[in-house]
Structures are given as structure tokens and as C-alpha cells.
Amino acid sequence: MEQQLVEMKGEIRDWTTRMDAFEAFLDRRLRDHEHRQELMWKELHPRLVFLENKVEHHEKDLAFLRQAFLGR
């Protein structure tokens, strides 16, 4: 009986160690993913702002042309 308890404690310790290692693995993967996401955002955000400004500029040009041609 006592031997079984010792074996069970050993198994529990093994599983705990495995779960801790797996949790650390998942944490690293999550940090890697978040880091890649930050890098992509830093790269894409200026492009998005540029495109938004370009669209806004073209919309103003179109509004001016509409008013110039249809307003007369």
C-alpha cells in the first residue's frame, strides 16, 4: 500500500512537471505570436494611414469636381 502511494506521488510529480513544461511552451508560443502581431501592426499601420489619407484626398477632389461640373 505504501509502495503504491510512493508510485502515485511519483506519477503525479511527473505529470505536474509535464504540465508545467507544456504551460511554459504555450506561454512562449503566445508571446511569439503577440510579438509577430506587433511587428505586423508596426509595419502595416503607417501604410493604412497613408491609404486613408489618400482616399480622403481623392474624395475631396471628387467632391470638388462634382460641384464644379454639376453645380453650374
Side-chain angles (χ1 to χ4, degrees):
M1 182 68 160
E2 199 170 311
Q3 181 61 28
Q4 284 180 322
L5 287 175
V6 170
E7 289 175 9
M8 287 174 64
K9 284 181 182 179
E11 288 179 22
I12 290 171
R13 196 175 308 116
D14 290 346
W15 278 106
T16 302
T17 303
R18 289 180 190 157
M19 293 303 291
D20 288 345
F22 186 62
E23 184 179 5
F25 166 77
L26 291 177
D27 285 344
R28 283 192 306 274
R29 291 290 304 230
L30 180 61
R31 280 194 304 274
D32 290 347
H33 177 73
E34 289 172 343
H35 180 68
R36 281 195 304 273
Q37 212 170 17
E38 284 179 29
L39 290 176
M40 285 191 305
W41 177 249
K42 284 179 182 176
E43 183 179 330
L44 291 177
H45 184 257
R47 293 179 188 179
L48 291 172
V49 170
F50 172 77
L51 291 173
E52 287 173 347
N53 290 338
K54 198 169 190 174
V55 166
E56 188 176 301
H57 179 73
H58 287 306
E59 287 174 342
K60 288 178 183 175
D61 287 346
L62 284 173
F64 173 77
L65 291 173
R66 273 193 210 105
Q67 186 177 18
F69 287 108
L70 299 177
R72 290 183 182 186

